[in-house]
Structures are given as C-alpha cells and as structure tokens.
Amino acid sequence: MSWKDNTRKVTPYVPGEQPKAGDVVKLNTNENPYPPAPGVADALRKLADDYAIMRKYPDTNATSLVDALSEFYNVPSDNIFVGVGSDDVLAMSFLTFFDSDRPVLFPDITYSFYEVWAETFRIPYKTVALKDDFTIDIKDYEQLNGGVVIANPNAPTSICLDIDSVEKIISSNKDSVVIIDEAYIDFGGVSALPLIDKYDNLLVVQTFSKSRSMAGARIGVAFGSPDIIASLKAVKFSINSYTMSHDSIRIGAAAASLNDRSYFTETVDRIINTRTEATRRLTEMGFEVLESSTNFLFAKHKTHKAVDIFNGLRDQNIYVRYFDKPRINDHLRITIGTPEEMDKLYSALEEILNR
Ligand code: PMP
C-alpha cells in the first residue's frame, strides 16, 4: 500500500506548445494575432496606482465585471457567471450539472478537454461520431443522456451548426443541461444566447481569449437561467470562492474591451478577411479546407502527410497544430495570424510541398 494507490490518476489535457524563442510564427493555439483594444492598456496603467488593493480578498461575485457584461449583452446580472477563462467555467459546469449515471454526450471530434474533465470528475460519457464530413447529426442527441456539450463553432473542425439545429438539441433534452461552448462564435455563426430566456436547461459559454485578444487575462463567461447560474455558483464557491482576482485588475481591462465596439468589429473583420485569403491560398496549394466559422482553418493536403508538413513547418519556426488522433491525423489546424505571418506560412508551405 502506498499513497500512490490513493491518488487520483488523470491524463491531463495537452495544450499547444508555447515556444520561448522570439522569432516564431505561432499559429497553433488559436490566439488572436492583434493586441486587445487600446483602452485595455490605460486600464492596466491605472491599476498600478491602485496596487494596494492586492492586500484584500476580491469580491467573489466579480460584481463589476458581471455588471459590465450585463450592460454589454443586455442580460440581467443573475443570468451571468464568470470564471478564470472558459476552461474554468466549463470545468465547474461539468462538476455541477453532470451528476447522473447516464452518459454525457459530446462529439468524438471536438475540444479534447471535455473528455479530460469527464475522466477527472468520473462522469460517465459517450462520444457521438460526427458524420464523415465532420458535421453533427442532431438526431444523435435524441437519446437518453446525463447532459450534452456542443462546441459551436466546433473545434478543431471550425464548422458551425445552424441555430435552428442548436435549438432542436436544447429542446429535445429538457431533462439535461445542454452546454453550448461558443469560444469562437464571434468569427461566424449565430449565438444561442437569446435562447436562455426560453430554455432553463441551457448554458452558453463564451470567452475573452479569442475575439477579444485577452487569452492571458483568463476571463470566461457563462449565460443561463437564474437557476442554472445559482447552481453553478454554489459548486464554484464550494471549491474556491476567490478564483477571480480583484475586479480592479480584470474589470478595467474587460470593460475597456467591451466598450470599444469598433476596435472589436475591426479586428474580427480583419481575421475573417485573412481567413478567406488563407482558404484560397491553401486550396491552390492542394489542401482541402473545411469552411471555417472560427479564427482557424482545418485542412488536409491531398498528397502530403499532415505530420510531415507539421514537422517541416516547425523546423522553420512556424507552429501549427497537429492531432495524432484517429479520423483527424491527416489534418492540420492553422490559426489565422496577421497577413505577414500568413505570408511566411505560405512561402514555407510552398517550399515543403515542392521538396
Ligand atoms: N472551448 C474551446 C472550444 C476552445 O478551443 C478553448 C481554447 N482552447 C476553450 C474553450 C478555452 O478557452 P479559455 O479557457 O482561454 O477561455
């Protein structure tokens, strides 16, 4: 007998590499290539004057952040939950809502953290195969379950499910909580957020990490009925009530981002334009590119192996994402960077494909 026999064994989620070297083109973790809204810098400067606040514990409800979100999305505060990135929000949601003997359903190809949380929390789950074209068949979600999780748009496929189909999944599962993970929704597709008034089993999760360029600030949000939000808070506060740092640290930055609507639209549009161009260029080079509603592309080359292209790019300090998993090990996931970064990618790809 050893302490090791009493230790929870988990295989952690493996995030994309964060290389230390300066001169790299990093297209592997779906970060936004543009800085956050300029007002964020002013907010952080103000924080320096207010540094003594660190002495105190923060407001567990992150009230001013929630109020700013409430105003921006025109949703009452008791419909809003905030966490340390959407990973924290999702993990807390798994723990809160998936307490059934029935399996939680999610696609076989989706954000791989879902499986890790289910394993970590010992939640029974069943993966549902996407169709051959990587789209969702909504009928697959009309079986008994202990919950449903859909990333929409999906990752790493970049494909978006239309809002009517999303609503059908929610309405046919009224006895389970349905989580719609909208990490990439601002780059395409229609949000399920307005449906929270109609379905009390719906939780919509969003993040400041992608369209708002604030992955490092770790701000995730969930929207749902007051009951669902109250349940989520009860579990969250039963683990650690102080996970969010002081409002003055996050709120200034988050509010500055929310307030600057034109900067937001401008950077999202730039990424969408670069995405259109990238789809064209990669298709010309012999890639089959799925239609993306996100800030990344999921592409397969007609003749060259994904792993060889991945390694060839890496040798040139260009990082994209390769998943050594069944059904998708012939694909690469490429985050949309700046036009300059994408030019470096195209030149490197041309060289690798012509070797
Ligand atoms: N959901 C999906 C589908 C994602 O791709 C990511 C980013 N890896 C997240 C959630 C988590 O993002 P964050 O914790 O930065 O909000």
Side-chain angles (χ1 to χ4, degrees), residues 13 29-30 84-90 110-111 113-114 117 151-155 181-184 205-210 214-215 218-221 296 321 333:
Y13 170 77
T29 52
N30 297 345
V84 189
S86 56
D87 280 342
D88 177 49
V89 174
L90 288 162
T110 191
Y111 187 30
F113 224 140
Y114 301 158
W117 288 315
N152 197 46
N154 197 8
D181 174 359
E182 295 189 338
Y184 302 99
V205 179
Q206 294 191 0
T207 178
F208 277 55
S209 298
K210 316 290 178 184
M214 291 171 70
R218 312 304 301 130
I219 303 176
V221 189
F296 59 87
R321 196 82 192 267
R333 193 194 69 188

Side-chain angles (χ1 to χ4, degrees), residues 67-130:
D67 288 348
L69 287 161
S70 165
E71 201 183 315
F72 183 83
Y73 287 103
N74 201 12
V75 164
S77 298
D78 60 356
N79 290 103
I80 302 174
F81 174 91
V82 291
V84 189
S86 56
D87 280 342
D88 177 49
V89 174
L90 288 162
M92 290 300 141
S93 307
F94 270 57
L95 198 53
T96 310
F97 302 113
F98 301 156
D99 193 23
S100 159
D101 295 333
R102 292 184 187 151
V104 170
L105 307 177
F106 46 83
D108 61 338
I109 300 165
T110 191
Y111 187 30
S112 50
F113 224 140
Y114 301 158
E115 205 158 358
V116 174
W117 288 315
E119 291 281 347
T120 304
F121 301 140
R122 296 183 187 146
I123 297 166
Y125 67 97
K126 187 162 130 189
T127 58
V128 182
L130 292 178

Side-chain angles (χ1 to χ4, degrees), residues 5-30:
D5 298 317
N6 296 329
T7 298
R8 191 177 289 261
K9 288 163 197 76
V10 289
T11 311
Y13 170 77
V14 184
E17 275 178 274
Q18 293 288 6
K20 289 272 180 298
D23 193 20
V24 300
V25 176
K26 206 172 157 298
L27 307 175
N28 67 337
T29 52
N30 297 345

